[in-house]
Every structure is written in C-alpha cells, then in structure tokens.
Amino acid sequence: MIRLKSKEEILKIEFSAKIVAEVLELIGRFITDGVSAYDLERIATEHILKRNAIPAFKGYNNYPYSLCVSVNNEIIHGFPTSEKVLKRGDLVSVDCGVLKDGYFGDAARTFVVDDFETEEGKKLVEVTEKSLDLGIEQAKPGNRIGDIGHAIQAFVESAGFSVIRDYVGHGVGKRLHEDPQIPNYGVKGTGIVIQPGMTLAIEPMISQGHFETAVLPDGWTVVTKDGTKAAHFEHTIVIEAEGSRILSRL
C-alpha cells in the first residue's frame, strides 16, 4: 500500500535524508588509497550518532553495519570491513540510511579512489549519475512508475551499459522500504500513477557488462556475475504538485 505523506512527515523524511547527505559528503573527503571500508563505517556511524539519529541499516534484517560499501564488481550491500582496503582507481559505492524521529532517509553515491583507471570507468560513473537525474525528471504527478524506469534504461543502454534487474528503488518513509517498487527499467505509460505526497528512493544500479547478479557467501554482497564493474547512485525525493524535489541533497 502506498502512503501519501503529510507536510509534517515530509519535513521529517527530509531531515533524515539531509543527515544521509552529510554522511556522503563527509565520506567523500576520506576516500583515498590505503583507507579501509571500516574507516568509512566508523566515520559515518560517529556522525549519525552525533546528529542524534540512528543508522538505519544496522540490524535491518540482521545486516551488521551502518554503511554498505561496494567496490568495483560489487553492486550493493558490500560489507565495510577492515580487510576491504581501497586502492587507486577503485569504484566505491557508499549507501547510507538514517532513521530520525520515526522517519527514514536513504541515498547512495559512487566515488572513485583518487582517479579513474580507465575512460570506461569514468563513463560508467557519469552515465549512472546522469541516469538518476533523468529518472527523477520523470517522477512527477500524472506520470507513471514505468516512465522513471524507461528513462533510466533508455539512456543507460544507449551508452552501452546494462541496468541491474534484480534490485530496484522503493518508497521510503516510516519504513526503509515501502511501496511502490521502482525498477530502473520499464515501459513508458505503465505502472502506478505518480501522485503528490509520494516519497521515493530512486537508485539506478548499472553494470559495465551483463545485468546478471550473484550473492556472495556472506549472504548480502551482490556482485556482477560476469565480474565487470558497477556503479550506484540514489536520492530520496518527494513528489510535489509541480514536480519532484530531492531531499537527500545539501
């Protein structure tokens, strides 16, 4: 069931989403050669707690960390362990969620460690971020959920990359994952009608190669089945009468 949010609820979601944006901005300053993913986890957790908020991922379905840190062929849900040491040229997706005053915010960003190793890696990150922008442009009253996915898919595939099919965006609010599901692929003019008051987490996950995925033995980390690199960007947005507004941006 889709819940349309009141102005008061939207303000609370925005507050949580802004804390997520702060975390991602802060994390970006520390991503460099030799830093471990656990260093990022510690920094993020300290900041969230300092803001009197709760790390939304930690304990969610028994997930053990505050962040998801996914490197290169890891798409999502990567563990931020001390053994995962970043090196120059790595693509690092950092996904963060925050709970404050009963409402969630959720966002993700892909960083590069120091500089890109290849032009294709740079293109992958740029295309993924642009596809998020294009999806958000379609998130407006009267459009349908399929319009979001179609915009993302058409742009990504025209650039020679693949849209991950097994994992999708979602509604967000009093729960971290709410209805509706928001695939990053689809057919224009299909799906649920978008209405003011919806709060959505749109999150394209894009692969350099095929879209097939696998889950590592830890039960969480999702990787590309063919071993190619992936990128991931996400924003929490609200649908308003005139269009959409990004809540997880400083």
Side-chain angles (χ1 to χ4, degrees), residues 16-249:
S16 293
K18 287 287 192 288
I19 297 173
V20 174
E22 291 170 7
V23 169
L24 294 178
E25 180 72 20
L26 179 63
I27 289 297
R29 302 177 200 165
F30 291 90
I31 289 182
T32 190
D33 186 86
V35 168
S36 78
Y38 188 76
D39 293 330
L40 307 181
E41 165 78 6
R42 178 180 50 77
I43 292 163
T45 302
E46 287 176 358
H47 184 79
I48 293 168
L49 296 178
K50 186 174 72 175
R51 300 288 269 117
N52 296 315
I54 298 169
F57 296 170
K58 194 165 189 175
Y60 182 81
N61 291 336
N62 295 317
Y63 184 79
Y65 299 100
S66 301
L67 292 181
C68 298
V69 179
S70 308
V71 180
N72 293 330
N73 70 316
E74 298 175 346
I75 306 166
I76 50 173
H77 303 161
F79 283 4
T81 62
S82 57
E83 294 77 22
K84 188 179 286 185
V85 178
L86 306 182
K87 63 182 186 300
R88 181 180 174 84
D90 281 344
L91 302 187
V92 184
S93 165
V94 180
D95 194 352
C96 180
V98 162
L99 171 65
K100 186 172 176 64
D101 295 334
Y103 289 85
F104 289 91
D106 190 8
R109 181 176 167 189
T110 296
F111 301 87
V112 62
V113 180
D114 297 339
D115 200 5
F116 292 96
E117 281 190 324
T118 66
E119 282 301 313
E120 187 179 25
K122 182 179 181 182
K123 181 181 177 184
L124 174 67
V125 172
E126 290 174 346
V127 165
T128 305
E129 185 170 21
K130 178 64 175 178
S131 75
L132 174 58
D133 294 338
L134 294 173
I136 291 172
E137 284 179 10
Q138 294 300 314
K140 55 188 177 184
N143 274 10
R144 294 179 178 268
I145 294 297
D147 296 324
I148 298 172
H150 175 79
I152 292 169
Q153 181 182 14
F155 179 69
V156 166
E157 292 182 351
S158 72
F161 299 130
S162 297
V163 172
I164 299 301
R165 308 295 182 94
D166 294 336
Y167 302 89
V168 300
H170 51 91
V172 62
K174 287 185 76 69
R175 295 170 57 199
L176 181 59
H177 295 103
E178 298 183 347
D179 290 332
Q181 292 193 341
I182 308 168
N184 298 301
Y185 57 92
V187 178
K188 289 178 69 171
T190 63
I192 293 165
V193 176
I194 298 168
Q195 304 176 60
M198 284 183 171
T199 46
L200 309 173
I202 300 176
E203 51 175 325
M205 294 153 269
I206 309 302
S207 166
Q208 281 182 333
H210 200 271
F211 58 74
E212 288 186 320
T213 67
V215 180
L216 295 186
D218 63 24
W220 280 99
T221 306
V222 179
V223 299
T224 57
K225 203 167 186 180
D226 61 7
T228 55
K229 291 185 178 182
H232 175 211
F233 282 85
E234 176 183 22
H235 271 308
T236 295
I237 69 169
V238 60
I239 309 301
E240 299 178 323
E242 64 277 12
S244 56
R245 181 167 61 90
I246 296 172
L247 302 181
S248 53
R249 177 178 284 166

